[in-house]
Amino acid sequence: MKIGEFTIEQLSEGFFELFEDGTFQKIESSRLDNLKDDPNIGKFTSAIGIDPLLIQKSGKNILVDPGLGWGLDSGSQYKKASNVVTNLDIFDLSPRDIHYVILTHLHFDHAAGISRVSEDLKTEPTFPNAEYILHQDEWDYALSQINRDIKIPGAGYKLDEMYKLIAEERFTFVDQEIYEPVDGVFAIKTGGHTPGHMIVKLKDGDNSAYFMGDLVPTEYHLNHYSMRNIDIDPLQSKKSKTLLLKQALKEKAVMFFYHSLFKKSGKLSRDPQKKYILLKP
Ligand SMILES: [Zn+2]
């Protein structure tokens, strides 16, 4: 999709069932058509999509949230999994072509794809030439959680592979509220879901787009707040979400969602009942 000078693609890893213990399982495509009526989904699990974002502008390739990382490790059991590397290949890009990786936060369903384990069992960055961008508060918080037993599905941290990348100075830790690595690409701290959660806003003249991370994970969450058990600071989440959606509406921005099952993007508008709706961009 073209938005101003930006070319934006969603790199879908598919649809997953998220279990109460935090594990993921891929949903067979044959079950997808009947997802809404599937009696087994929604009872003990939730169904989510995983859609990392690829942004291209003036020769720079930017990835936002590189996904689950399935199939990246040599020796992985998920040989045929669609992952960030197989999906870049569709656009004729190799991991070496990525200049920036912006991480909204470090929950493993967003961040696990940053590294891989090579055949000689060495951790290496999946994107060898990329600068990884993360908010300092997110790293500090993740470190404080490593010895805690996190019971929230999907809210776990897997940091082991990250220490090496940090030691090799591949990370840029953001300590301000807004960081602009590339002209018109803004990583904006929202907190709420996690203390250092960031969203990404793209702006080119009158055109803008928002990738809301887990602040608004699906189109359903535009009008509903159901993150009570998942957000670290629900009040801060609500505050950031309300302000950002108001701004995005004013800008008639295109919204991109990481976890949607059905509508993964659309131009933000409101119906006569003042409910947020998505129009074809
Ligand atoms: Zn999360």
Side-chain angles (χ1 to χ4, degrees), residues 105 107 110 193 214:
H105 63 304
H107 285 158
H110 293 252
H193 179 64
D214 272 353

Side-chain angles (χ1 to χ4, degrees), residues 153-215:
Y157 291 101
K158 290 181 180 164
L159 303 183
D160 291 0
E161 312 298 342
M162 257 170 234
Y163 298 116
K164 184 162 174 271
L165 306 194
I166 286 167
E168 289 171 358
E169 297 186 352
R170 297 198 169 261
F171 270 82
T172 295
F173 290 107
V174 177
D175 56 12
Q176 60 265 47
E177 298 292 305
I178 301 176
Y179 181 66
E180 188 180 4
V182 172
D183 214 21
V185 179
F186 303 92
I188 302 171
K189 185 187 163 193
T190 64
H193 179 64
T194 56
H197 184 278
M198 299 193 292
I199 62 123
V200 175
K201 173 178 178 175
L202 307 175
K203 190 148 179 52
D204 178 28
D206 287 340
N207 301 294
S208 63
Y210 288 76
F211 176 89
M212 301 290 272
D214 272 353
L215 192 64

Side-chain angles (χ1 to χ4, degrees), residues 21-65:
D21 64 357
T23 55
F24 281 83
Q25 195 174 306
K26 199 145 189 168
I27 299 176
E28 293 305 322
S29 52
S30 57
R31 284 172 72 192
L32 271 186
D33 298 338
N34 309 311
L35 209 56
K36 273 184 173 156
D37 313 314
D38 194 322
N40 293 316
I41 290 181
K43 214 182 203 176
F44 301 110
T45 68
S46 35
I48 58 170
I50 300 272
D51 293 276
L53 202 67
L54 170 68
I55 302 160
Q56 298 180 287
K57 192 202 176 198
S58 335
K60 294 284 181 218
N61 299 316
I62 305 145
L63 262 182
V64 187
D65 286 356

Side-chain angles (χ1 to χ4, degrees), residues 13 16 24 50 52 65-72 108-113 258:
E13 297 195 348
F16 297 82
F24 281 83
I50 300 272
D65 286 356
L68 280 168
W70 283 22
L72 294 181
F108 73 92
D109 57 323
H110 293 252
Y258 189 72

